[in-house]
Amino acid sequence: MRVKRQKKNRRTVRFFTVCFGFRQPFKVLCDGTFVHHLVSREITPADTVISELLGGPVKLFTTRCVVAELQKLGKDYSESLEAAQMLSTATCEHDEAKPADVCLSEVLGSKNSEHFFLGTQDAVFRKKLQMESIVPLLYGLNNSLQIDQPSDFQREVAKDSERKRLTMTDAEKRMLEKQTARILASSRGEGAAEDEQWETPRVASTRNGLGVKDKPQFKRNRAKGPNPLSCMKKKKVNDAKKPQSKPKAESKSGGQEAKKGESGGEKRTRKRSRKGKAGPERT
């Protein structure tokens, strides 16, 4: 049930944000009964609880007339008075204190241009605002907070505003007629010019009598060089001058071949002399 209620509350907030332009941080206007309910039920901190309900950051407001009404109620509402004095004050422009419902209805008005949410425990006042003004209403139920669903009056106002956005006004219709007339006139002029061109052949020349070109000629952008991604990197000059180092095995074999070439061929074998090893002479 808690998840369903939360989805319903978010759907209501989305209705007012899309149709009437309510934006974060949401401004919540609180009367004395709503503040007293929050204090008596220990729903604290109030701004975090209300922000969880609306799904965004909030700012809490009240009026001087509401504070004056709480002062008249005596000691039982002393904590509520202190809590209300800590809230931001919305301008009500009343020199003398008026009843809270009268003051709040004048601050909100019928269109609620300041985009206030209103928190109140007065059920009669809530019904009156639902029939007259575009105000999302909050109220406390035991230890939780609830938001009223949009009324039929508010839904009809949203539909009317949507129709006005989709339909053209008289000024827009006049502008459209002027634009269409201009387009038709220009298209007729182009058609007449084409007919004249076919009737009287015209010599194609790029310059007029003064030597000025009739139409600007634009050069095509051509490739200035080969694609660098398709070309190999150029070898550095220093690397080209350096002799290439051969492997050690090739260098050794090359040295031996060079020695063989210097000696003039294969190695000569020495023949041993057999003079000392000869036998006794025969007589």
Side-chain angles (χ1 to χ4, degrees):
M1 289 295 292
R2 186 176 180 182
V3 176
K4 289 183 180 180
R5 194 184 306 121
Q6 191 174 12
K7 285 183 179 180
K8 191 182 290 184
N9 295 336
R10 295 290 171 85
R11 200 178 297 120
T12 304
V13 174
R14 197 180 302 117
F15 169 79
F16 285 100
T17 55
V18 172
C19 297
F20 300 109
F22 284 69
R23 294 290 178 267
Q24 297 182 7
F26 300 119
K27 295 187 289 186
V28 182
L29 192 61
C30 306
D31 71 343
T33 59
F34 189 70
V35 175
H36 182 68
H37 181 82
L38 294 175
V39 173
S40 61
R41 296 288 181 172
E42 296 182 355
I43 304 174
T44 54
D47 52 353
T48 56
V49 177
I50 297 173
S51 65
E52 288 177 1
L53 175 67
L54 302 181
V58 297
K59 288 183 179 180
L60 302 181
F61 292 84
T62 190
T63 61
R64 290 180 295 175
C65 297
V66 173
V67 175
E69 190 177 58
L70 288 172
Q71 287 176 347
K72 294 177 182 178
L73 294 175
K75 295 181 180 179
D76 295 337
Y77 290 83
S78 58
E79 293 182 3
S80 304
L81 175 62
E82 292 177 359
Q85 288 174 346
M86 294 173 65
L87 303 178
S88 302
T89 55
T91 55
C92 61
E93 298 179 357
H94 294 147
D95 297 332
E96 295 181 359
K98 290 187 176 183
D101 54 350
V102 176
C103 175
L104 294 174
S105 59
E106 288 183 4
V107 170
L108 295 170
S110 60
K111 294 184 179 180
N112 191 12
S113 58
E114 294 292 329
H115 299 121
F116 278 115
F117 286 73
L118 178 65
T120 180
Q121 295 297 111
D122 191 352
V124 178
F125 186 41
R126 288 206 309 269
K127 288 182 180 179
K128 179 184 176 183
L129 289 175
Q130 282 184 336
M131 299 299 293
E132 296 178 355
S133 181
I134 303 166
V135 186
L137 300 169
L138 308 178
Y139 63 95
L141 184 64
N142 296 329
N143 293 330
S144 63
L145 298 179
Q146 304 293 330
I147 182 170
D148 275 338
Q149 298 298 311
S151 63
D152 297 336
F153 169 76
Q154 293 169 350
R155 293 184 186 277
E156 285 296 326
V157 172
K159 287 180 181 179
D160 291 339
S161 62
E162 186 68 21
R163 283 194 216 99
K164 288 179 181 178
R165 283 198 294 266
L166 294 175
T167 57
M168 290 191 298
T169 60
D170 295 336
E172 290 175 346
K173 287 180 181 178
R174 282 189 238 107
M175 289 287 292
L176 182 61
E177 289 174 359
K178 288 181 181 179
Q179 290 291 333
T180 51
R182 287 177 186 175
I183 292 168
L184 291 172
S186 61
S187 63
R188 287 171 185 170
E190 289 177 359
E194 288 178 358
D195 294 338
E196 290 176 0
Q197 184 178 1
W198 283 107
E199 289 174 1
T200 58
R202 188 178 174 184
V203 179
S205 62
T206 56
R207 295 177 181 272
N208 55 15
L210 298 175
V212 181
K213 292 184 178 180
D214 295 332
K215 294 182 181 179
Q217 294 180 354
F218 298 99
K219 293 183 180 180
R220 293 182 180 178
N221 294 327
R222 296 180 180 178
K224 295 180 180 179
N227 187 359
L229 298 176
S230 63
C231 300
M232 298 290 291
K233 291 183 179 179
K234 294 181 180 180
K235 294 182 179 179
K236 293 182 180 179
V237 179
N238 297 331
D239 296 341
K241 289 182 178 180
K242 288 181 181 179
Q244 295 180 356
S245 58
K246 296 181 180 180
K248 291 182 179 181
E250 291 180 6
S251 61
K252 287 182 180 180
S253 62
Q256 290 177 1
E257 288 176 0
K259 287 180 180 178
K260 286 180 182 180
E262 289 175 0
S263 60
E266 296 180 356
K267 239 178 180 181
R268 291 189 299 173
T269 55
R270 288 180 64 184
K271 293 181 180 181
R272 296 182 180 180
S273 60
R274 296 181 179 180
K275 290 181 180 180
K277 292 183 181 181
E281 296 179 359
R282 292 180 181 178
T283 56

